[in-house]
């Protein structure tokens, strides 16, 4: 969880974003800070609320910029989740040898029963 100083920085950066939506600098700093302190979901929520506050009557270019930035946050969050996902570990040689040993034992037992039955 982010500490109070991180939240204060987050708030200050968000204020800069809303003051000049055309400037990519504050947006980049805001998103990087949100990523670093695990506040990407809150950043996305802020952009969605901001878009709702602007309403349908807002300048379409502004709404498009907000949508673009919200999409960027979504992609970044998905990439972060993908990076955290652990890949299944490949079977170790011990597992392979155990499987082979069990298979050979079962085959030998089946062969023994066939020999005794025939």
């Amino acid at each position: 969880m982010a500490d109070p100083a991180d939240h204060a920085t987050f708030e200050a950066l968000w204020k800069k974003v809303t003051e000049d939506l055309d400037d990519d600098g504050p947006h980049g700093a805001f998103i990087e800070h949100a990523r670093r302190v695990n506040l990407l979901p809150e950043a996305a929520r802020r952009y969605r609320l901001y878009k709702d506050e602007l309403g349908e009557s807002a300048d379409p270019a502004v709404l498009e910029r907000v949508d673009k930035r919200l999409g960027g946050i979504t992609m970044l969050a998905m990439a972060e989740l993908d990076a955290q996902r652990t890949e299944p570990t490949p079977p170790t040689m011990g597992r392979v040898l155990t499987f082979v040993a069990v298979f050979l034992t079962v085959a030998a037992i089946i062969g023994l029963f066939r020999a005794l039955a025939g």
Side-chain angles (χ1 to χ4, degrees):
M1 182 168 174
D3 67 30
D6 289 333
H7 280 287
T9 302
F10 182 83
E11 293 297 331
L13 290 170
W14 174 246
K15 185 176 182 201
K16 288 182 182 180
V17 166
T18 58
E19 288 172 353
D20 188 3
L21 200 59
D22 293 332
D23 188 358
D24 287 337
H27 166 74
F30 174 70
I31 296 306
E32 176 54 30
H33 178 73
R35 185 199 60 76
R36 190 175 48 76
V37 297
N38 297 318
L39 289 173
L40 283 175
E42 176 60 19
R45 188 182 77 77
R46 297 278 176 110
Y47 272 103
R48 280 191 302 275
L49 289 174
Y50 187 68
K51 182 181 175 188
D52 290 345
E53 288 174 13
L54 292 173
E56 296 294 322
S57 61
D59 180 5
V62 172
L63 293 175
E64 185 178 330
R65 271 193 300 281
V66 172
D67 279 338
K68 179 182 170 188
R69 290 179 174 170
L70 185 55
I73 294 169
T74 302
M75 288 175 51
L76 183 59
M78 290 175 66
E80 294 266 325
L81 285 174
D82 192 46
Q84 292 174 0
R85 183 174 39 177
T86 58
E87 294 296 322
T89 56
T92 60
M93 191 55 134
R95 287 184 181 173
V96 172
L97 290 176
T98 302
F99 175 76
V100 169
V102 169
F103 178 77
L104 291 175
T105 303
V106 170
I109 292 171
I110 291 172
L112 181 63
F113 280 123
R114 285 190 176 176
L116 291 174

